[in-house]
Amino acid sequence: MKTNNILLKFILGAYLVVFFGYLLGPLVVMSITAFNSPSFPKLTPWECLTFEWFDVLAHDERILNGIENSFVIGIGTVILSVIMGLAGALLLTQIWPKLRATYYTIVIAPILIPGVVLGISTLVFWDRMSIMLGMSSGGILHNGIFLTILGQSTFIASYCMLVFIARLQRFDTGLTEAALDLGATQVQAFRKILLPFMKPAIGSAAVLAFLASFENYNTTTFTFGKYPTLTIELAQKVRYGINPSISALAFIIIALTILGALAHEIYRRRQQLALANGAPVAAVSGGFQLPKFFRGNPAAIILVLLALGGASTIWFAQSYSPNACKMDVREQKQLLQQERIKAIREKRQLEQQQKQHQGPDVFSGSKSGSPATQSPGKGAFGNVFAPGNLDKSGPAAKPDEPAKSPGKGAFGDVFSPKNLDQAAPKED
Amino acid sequence: MTKGVDVDLENVWIRFGDFVAVREANVNIKGGEFFSFLGPSGCGKTTILRSVSGFLEPSEGTVRIGGRDMTGIGPNKRPTALIFQNLALFPLMKIWENITFSMEVKGASKAERRKRADELLEMIALPDQGEKLPSELSGGQKQRVAIARALCAEPDVLLLDEPLSALDLKLRQHMRTELREIQQRVGITFIYITHDQGEALTMSDNVAVMRAGVVDQIGSGHTVYNDPATPFVASFVGENNVFRGKVKSIDGDMALISTNRTGELLARIATTAQGTLKVGDPAMLFVRPEALNIAPDITPAPNRFAAMVKHEEFEGQIYNVFLEGSEGKEIKMSLVNIGTERQSAEGMNLTLEYVPEQAVVLPAGELASE
Ligand SMILES: Nc1ncnc2c1ncn2[C@@H]1O[C@H](COP(=O)(O)OP(=O)(O)OP(=O)(O)O)[C@@H](O)[C@H]1O
Ligand SMILES: [Mg+2]
């Protein structure tokens, strides 16, 4: 039994590691590539810690413009979706009970319809409308921001409605009746009783709507017109090759998300504590509550550590300059290239010598067993030209080389177009 | 404070689809009166109250408040204030804001509202609690806040829907007297709903007893208790021993009933049945446990019957004796504890008697199910 338990725990632990690795791994990798200097997002040949990609990002007009459009559209979508969602949810509570199920199905349907379809239909519908109304093609009905807000709101409003329905189910309609009974008008009862009750749900729905709008691609791609959002810009960028400034953007988004989650968690905890103590919220916002909040929540500790890490990174970025490191890397690269050039030169010399000798067979039989004979593959060159071997390789080994190395790899490396390009100017 | 006004229900029917929740209710409630609707759960009490406060329109008939027809007038325009079965205090508002909500919606200034709230908090003996939230008060305190909130609206009629049902016995008894005091102080009409007959009898000037949507009887507590109009009222208000049988003879307002199991018994015909009850009609005879006594001798008489003591319950002030009459008929007798030795013991055969004027005869009908 006991070993069974240990085994179970082990499996569970391994599962958790794999699971979280799967969930968070890509994010971590992407974030790290934002700080590596190569111009393609890479993790493994770690070259230099750099913050230049944030700089690049900050000067990328298209990305900045995309972010701006995303914000404008996000805010528009939040306003429209929250209002429509709230109205839809309220109608559900008022509607004739027999119609309720049908109504619910209809208003939830947009969530189930593919976003692509919503995008196309928004475009087509408003195009028709604009023609019917006799508007010019530059009119508001063809405006990308207007269309995107409408298109996204068709389904985001349904999400909001679900949030509101959940909250409304806990509303005691007796409270509205009590307000009416005490002389309030319907509007006053709504504003003073129902709306304050819905406030937390409105907040959640707004955040949800904004995030859904910000990350939307498939509906937006049909409606954005002249106003590409961030997701559209990113998708277009990827088509023409990316650089780590995208990782930098990802890092910023992840960091903001974590900070937001942290702030929300702290707020929620305080609310909970306040409820548990039956005291007003203000009473528990003292500093002494914070440790309690941590005790109960390891995730919060990790979040705080991450936040601290982020803050210290930013501070570090102010004082650190990657130039020295970059120079090093450049030097190393140059060294490597010079070695390769050397190798190529030597090889050419060899070839020429061979042609002069015209008798490689004599040497091929020799038992001197140079490393090249034993390792025909890619390694051939590496070994032959390793600094150690170079010194030793006397004239005896030289004729041996071309005859015995059958591997394509030997030349492949040297003559790969990239290397040739780099090597060429240096040769002169 | 405003003087209380009359509330009249004229031939009021309330239907939900095919279901009739209230059937032909005719009730006249006088201004400044403490009036109760008493009836078992689901008999339509809340429904009647909601039609008075304006949350639902009667399917037929009219509701008048102060002589004015209320048809088509919404709850926020009626001079009523309702205290809900679950109180319905606004959970997100402070106590003082709750109390003065009716002033807030009329646009009263904050200073005005605070002042009024302090007065009312004083009245309900909760000074200095104005800054709390409803969730921070005890059940009885919430109760009083709900009353203050309703009174703050200065209604002509205060409607109370079982406001004490959530409280424990001790607090309930305390709140009863408090409510009665408040009513006498402010002098407005109180319409009170309860399924607790003790509550109805102690507080009310008049009681309407309801059964499944029908108002069976309206009268003072005394009348309803001593002179019930239907077997339902007789069995629902207080306790009663019921003897079923047929009318054998009638002499003035007295009737001799030949009961199914207990022989012939004599009793007064209830006021509502006088003149209509005829010889041979199926009838019911009701004798209250406290009207029964141990007869001094065993001479048979039409106000006497035999029974065997099964067990007793001592309650201090009185003791209840449970007996078995002929053919297994269950009988309950309450004897006042006058300090002498107990006159009965288990297994003892007794002859019980009652004053015939204290027992009532009614045409047979539906009883309240225990
Ligand atoms: N909105 C409604 N739709 C359909 N039936 C209803 C509705 N409201 C009440 N009823 C029915 O009317 C009857 C009377 O209900 P009501 O709420 O008046 O009872 P009540 O006397 O107040 O009972 P309780 O003492 O349990 O509060 C019940 O049978 C109830 O099922
Ligand atoms: Mg009720």
Side-chain angles (χ1 to χ4, degrees):
Chain A
M1 284 313 270
K2 235 182 181 167
T3 49
N4 241 354
N5 264 344
I6 291 167
L7 190 70
L8 253 174
K9 270 184 189 160
F10 177 76
I11 291 173
L12 191 71
Y15 169 76
L16 282 179
V17 168
V18 170
F19 180 69
F20 281 111
Y22 165 73
L23 269 187
L24 305 177
L27 298 183
V28 171
V29 168
M30 181 123 191
S31 301
I32 292 174
T33 60
F35 299 96
N36 198 3
S37 58
S39 60
F40 186 79
K42 296 198 256 200
L43 189 60
T44 36
W46 179 264
E47 288 178 3
C48 292
L49 177 64
T50 178
F51 298 97
E52 66 184 297
W53 303 119
F54 289 88
D55 229 34
V56 172
L57 178 72
H59 293 102
D60 188 327
E61 283 303 321
R62 293 183 58 188
I63 292 278
L64 294 181
N65 185 44
I67 292 176
E68 195 188 318
N69 287 337
S70 283
F71 263 95
V72 171
I73 288 168
I75 289 166
T77 305
V78 164
I79 294 171
L80 190 60
S81 302
V82 165
I83 292 174
M84 291 204 303
L86 188 57
L90 289 175
L91 190 59
L92 184 73
T93 62
Q94 302 292 317
I95 205 166
W96 197 39
K98 276 181 189 165
L99 270 181
R100 218 163 270 176
T102 320
Y103 171 79
Y104 185 79
T105 315
I106 291 172
V107 292
I108 284 307
I111 292 179
L112 308 174
I113 295 173
V116 178
V117 176
L118 291 178
I120 297 173
S121 47
T122 305
L123 190 64
V124 171
F125 176 78
W126 290 103
D127 183 53
R128 292 291 103 187
M129 284 299 278
S130 123
I131 289 170
M132 263 171 59
L133 297 171
M135 289 170 82
S136 71
S137 64
I140 180 145
L141 299 189
H142 281 117
N143 181 296
I145 290 185
F146 173 77
L147 284 183
T148 309
I149 290 176
L150 285 186
Q152 290 184 349
S153 296
T154 46
F155 68 96
I156 292 177
S158 299
Y159 287 137
C160 293
M161 201 187 76
L162 287 182
V163 174
F164 292 136
I165 287 175
R167 179 85 182 155
L168 270 177
Q169 270 167 353
R170 284 188 288 146
F171 182 69
D172 173 12
T173 47
L175 295 181
T176 300
E177 290 189 342
L180 291 178
D181 190 62
L182 292 168
T185 60
Q186 290 281 356
V187 176
Q188 280 173 324
F190 176 76
R191 226 184 53 230
K192 289 176 190 291
I193 307 297
L194 187 59
L195 218 50
F197 176 82
M198 294 301 287
K199 222 159 103 192
I202 290 174
S204 315
V207 171
L208 186 78
F210 186 80
L211 292 180
S213 163
F214 202 82
E215 59 122 47
N216 182 267
Y217 177 76
N218 48 6
T219 302
T220 313
T221 191
F222 292 96
T223 54
F224 70 89
K226 293 199 194 87
Y227 299 91
T229 61
L230 180 63
T231 48
I232 301 283
E233 285 291 9
L234 287 180
Q236 285 179 353
K237 247 184 178 341
V238 169
R239 248 185 260 162
Y240 304 114
I242 52 172
N243 65 33
S245 66
I246 288 183
S247 302
L249 180 64
F251 177 77
I252 291 172
I253 292 175
I254 292 168
L256 286 179
T257 311
I258 289 172
L259 284 179
L262 184 64
H264 179 258
E265 182 69 12
I266 289 175
Y267 174 76
R268 205 179 56 83
R269 287 264 158 170
R270 273 196 190 154
Q271 289 275 349
Q272 246 172 24
L273 278 172
L275 270 181
N277 298 353
V281 178
V284 280
S285 15
F288 70 96
Q289 287 296 347
L290 232 57
K292 209 175 190 177
F293 153 68
F294 284 120
R295 239 177 283 146
N297 190 352
I301 297 171
I302 294 170
L303 284 179
V304 165
L305 288 180
L306 278 174
L308 285 179
S312 59
T313 311
I314 289 166
W315 171 80
F316 185 57
Q318 307 280 318
S319 52
Y320 167 81
S321 160
N323 289 341
C325 165
K326 273 190 183 163
M327 295 289 277
D328 276 1
V329 168
R330 213 169 289 154
E331 269 168 33
Q332 272 175 14
K333 275 186 182 167
Q334 279 175 2
L335 263 174
L336 207 76
Q337 280 170 351
Q338 277 166 7
E339 276 171 11
R340 284 174 177 172
I341 292 161
K342 233 195 228 161
I344 293 165
R345 279 195 187 136
E346 277 169 23
K347 204 169 55 199
R348 284 188 187 162
Q349 275 176 0
L350 269 175
E351 277 167 14
Q352 280 167 5
Q353 278 174 16
Q354 257 177 354
K355 278 175 192 160
Q356 287 162 6
H357 279 278
Q358 290 295 337
D361 290 354
V362 183
F363 293 98
S364 70
S366 86
K367 285 178 183 175
S368 64
S370 84
T373 46
Q374 285 158 344
S375 58
K378 252 177 146 187
F381 259 95
N383 278 333
V384 173
F385 295 117
N389 287 343
L390 264 179
D391 290 328
K392 281 181 261 176
S393 61
K398 280 171 196 167
D400 189 40
E401 223 293 311
K404 290 286 171 171
S405 66
K408 272 186 271 169
F411 286 94
D413 261 0
V414 177
F415 293 116
S416 83
K418 210 173 164 189
N419 285 342
L420 266 183
D421 282 353
Q422 289 164 336
K426 297 276 153 77
E427 227 169 327
D428 298 324
Chain B
M1 275 285 164
T2 3
K3 189 86 188 80
V5 299
D6 290 7
V7 176
D8 300 301
L9 305 183
E10 284 172 20
N11 194 26
V12 168
W13 290 70
I14 299 172
R15 297 189 186 88
F16 298 111
D18 292 337
F19 178 77
V20 182
V22 175
R23 187 183 298 266
E24 213 189 336
N26 282 292
V27 184
N28 302 308
I29 301 165
K30 283 194 279 301
E33 180 173 48
F34 197 120
F35 190 93
S36 293
F37 281 95
L38 171 65
S41 183
C43 69
K45 307 181 295 289
T46 299
T47 307
I48 283 199
L49 212 61
R50 289 173 67 81
S51 74
V52 173
S53 59
F55 290 114
L56 43 93
E57 288 285 337
S59 316
E60 263 177 57
T62 39
V63 175
R64 288 176 200 281
I65 299 177
R68 204 154 67 99
D69 186 351
M70 284 289 134
T71 312
I73 295 176
N76 46 359
K77 297 269 169 8
R78 296 194 184 193
T80 58
L82 174 60
I83 294 176
F84 287 74
Q85 205 157 358
N86 64 356
L87 304 185
L89 295 180
F90 306 128
L92 303 176
M93 290 186 198
K94 290 175 181 162
I95 295 306
W96 77 268
E97 291 172 317
N98 255 289
I99 290 178
T100 55
F101 184 81
S102 54
M103 299 171 74
E104 189 189 342
V105 298
K106 289 195 184 77
S109 76
K110 190 172 169 184
E112 252 179 289
R113 287 189 282 136
R114 281 244 58 143
K115 189 163 160 285
R116 184 88 181 100
D118 287 342
E119 284 170 24
L120 282 163
L121 283 168
E122 195 70 45
M123 187 198 91
I124 57 170
L126 283 178
D128 309 323
Q129 309 271 342
E131 290 300 322
K132 285 188 177 176
L133 288 173
S135 58
E136 294 160 13
L137 294 188
S138 75
Q141 290 173 331
K142 279 188 213 167
Q143 190 65 62
R144 282 180 275 174
V145 170
I147 294 167
R149 184 178 72 173
L151 289 177
C152 183
E154 307 204 334
D156 296 335
V157 181
L158 189 67
L159 309 168
L160 305 98
D161 191 353
E162 304 197 34
L164 307 185
S165 58
L167 305 182
D168 62 65
L169 181 69
K170 198 87 184 172
L171 193 54
R172 198 153 69 219
Q173 284 170 342
H174 172 72
M175 289 303 297
R176 277 182 198 172
T177 38
E178 209 156 308
L179 268 180
R180 186 72 179 143
E181 263 176 40
I182 290 172
Q183 194 263 339
Q184 277 161 357
R185 193 154 4 125
V186 297
I188 61 173
T189 314
F190 271 44
I191 302 182
Y192 189 91
I193 276 189
T194 179
H195 59 241
D196 178 334
Q197 40 110 1
E199 220 165 271
L201 296 182
T202 46
M203 295 196 287
S204 323
D205 298 316
N206 276 305
V207 183
V209 184
M210 287 187 71
R211 164 179 57 102
V214 180
V215 179
D216 262 14
Q217 185 175 12
I218 300 172
S220 68
H222 191 269
T223 312
V224 167
Y225 191 84
N226 290 324
D227 192 12
T230 64
F232 175 82
V233 175
S235 54
F236 185 75
V237 183
E239 283 176 290
N240 247 326
N241 295 300
V242 189
F243 300 88
R244 291 163 197 269
K246 278 200 170 66
V247 181
K248 191 173 180 223
S249 65
I250 294 178
D251 176 17
D253 60 358
M254 301 303 283
L256 190 65
I257 309 294
S258 62
T259 65
N260 296 346
R261 295 190 277 188
T262 323
E264 289 175 3
L265 293 175
L266 185 70
R268 186 180 61 85
I269 303 171
T271 314
T272 49
Q274 283 172 16
T276 54
L277 195 70
K278 291 186 292 290
V279 175
D281 282 355
M284 286 174 165
L285 186 148
F286 296 90
V287 187
R288 299 237 177 238
E290 68 271 17
L292 284 173
N293 248 313
I294 299 169
D297 55 71
I298 56 168
T299 325
N303 63 338
R304 286 186 178 179
F305 56 91
M308 187 188 74
V309 179
K310 285 182 70 183
H311 70 275
E312 290 183 1
E313 277 170 10
F314 182 63
E315 274 185 27
Q317 201 177 355
I318 55 164
Y319 51 99
N320 294 317
V321 187
F322 295 88
L323 308 104
E324 190 179 305
S326 59
E327 297 177 49
K329 167 116 191 108
E330 284 176 21
I331 288 156
K332 183 180 174 186
M333 167 171 70
S334 298
L335 298 175
V336 181
N337 177 12
I338 47 170
T340 54
E341 251 178 75
R342 291 219 310 258
Q343 295 144 295
S344 61
E346 265 166 55
M348 190 185 268
N349 283 307
L350 296 176
T351 298
L352 306 185
E353 69 169 1
Y354 60 90
V355 181
E357 283 73 19
Q358 287 178 0
V360 228
V361 172
L362 280 164
E366 197 186 319
L367 295 175
S369 50
E370 281 300 298

